Amino acid sequence: MFLRIPLSVFPACRGALAVAFALALAGCGGPAAPGPADEARAAQLRPRDAALAEKYERSCMVCHTQAAAQAPLTGFAPAWQPRLKQGMDTLVRHAEQGLGGMPARGLCADCTASDLRALIQFMAQ
Ligand code: HEC
């Protein structure tokens, strides 16, 4: 669904971050709004396990490495802290069932519950 939002909206948001950080925070999703450096870091991280990395690359990564997708970025702690407070079982259930813009199983049809748990632990590191 979010993919239909014109991406041209978001560079404007980043520009605002450089010009008026506080204003941009208000306009770009609250205090946990990630910047381009957080996105660049997210894009480089991979699970150590090769099979898990393959699942991550073909499913979770497309959304969880772009601020524009409104998903908590991989490795961006401020976005994960409040979510981790729900408990790992709830996070795994939300990943299995979907939540808001997050599709069921994160589009990973062959991910088991334990794969999802390991992927979440990796992304929330
Ligand atoms: C199509 C985009 C997309 C894909 C693919 C995707 N996610 Fe997400 N994910 C989201 C969005 C958007 C949210 C924020 C949902 C919300 O809070 O409304 C999210 C949130 C989450 C959350 C937090 C749930 C919570 O209870 O706060 C977890 C965990 C998660 N994703 C795991 C995964 C895993 C694991 C994968 C890969 C197997 C994955 N996601 C793939 C878009 C995606």
Side-chain angles (χ1 to χ4, degrees), residues 37-54:
D38 302 306
E39 276 184 312
R41 179 165 179 269
Q44 301 217 326
L45 294 171
R46 292 292 183 283
R48 283 211 190 102
D49 179 83
L52 205 62
E54 188 276 321

Side-chain angles (χ1 to χ4, degrees), residues 59-60 63-64 69 71 83 86 91 94 99 102 105-106 120 123:
S59 51
C60 325
C63 297
H64 284 269
R83 295 179 185 271
Q86 304 174 100
L91 289 178
H94 287 166
L99 176 79
M102 160 82 193
R105 298 207 163 264
I120 295 165
M123 294 199 295

Side-chain angles (χ1 to χ4, degrees), residues 81-106:
Q81 269 154 14
R83 295 179 185 271
L84 286 168
K85 287 193 184 133
Q86 304 174 100
M88 188 49 84
D89 290 346
T90 302
L91 289 178
V92 173
R93 194 175 68 244
H94 287 166
E96 285 183 308
Q97 297 173 352
L99 176 79
M102 160 82 193
R105 298 207 163 264

